[in-house]
Amino acid sequence: TQLWFWRTLSGAEVDLVIEQEQRLLPIEIKWSSHPHRMECKGLEGFLHDFKSQAPFGVVACGVNEPFLLTERLVAVPLSWLAT
């Protein structure tokens, strides 16, 4: 397993990418308890660029229960990062 950060020349970024066996899990970390998909342009760009390796992305934030932000983005509680 490898951990890395992703950023484009134009400034789009993803806070954390977990790579394992050629699969990628991009994670954006937000303090908000009301994340909005418009705050996730970096994740959307990553999913577009790595569509065959990253089927979905995660927004770890201040929510209590997981929910879908978009078809490919799921918001999860920050506490899930520690488990």
Side-chain angles (χ1 to χ4, degrees):
T1 302
Q2 294 183 21
L3 304 176
W4 41 281
F5 171 86
W6 179 80
R7 183 186 336 222
T8 66
L9 291 175
S10 64
E13 64 180 47
V14 172
D15 295 328
L16 175 64
V17 178
I18 301 172
E19 179 179 1
Q20 186 172 23
E21 298 178 11
Q22 299 183 347
R23 299 291 284 181
L24 304 174
L25 177 61
I27 301 171
E28 187 67 29
I29 301 167
K30 302 285 185 194
W31 293 113
S32 172
S33 59
H34 297 83
H36 192 275
R37 62 183 278 187
M38 296 306 290
E39 300 172 307
C40 303
K41 291 185 183 212
L43 267 176
E44 293 283 4
F46 184 94
L47 293 174
H48 179 267
D49 290 353
F50 296 94
K51 58 185 152 224
S52 66
Q53 294 172 283
F56 66 94
V58 171
V59 179
C61 54
V63 297
N64 292 322
E65 298 291 327
F67 66 91
L68 288 177
L69 282 170
T70 70
E71 179 178 296
R72 297 180 67 196
L73 294 179
V74 61
V76 302
L78 277 166
S79 61
W80 283 23
L81 290 182
T83 57

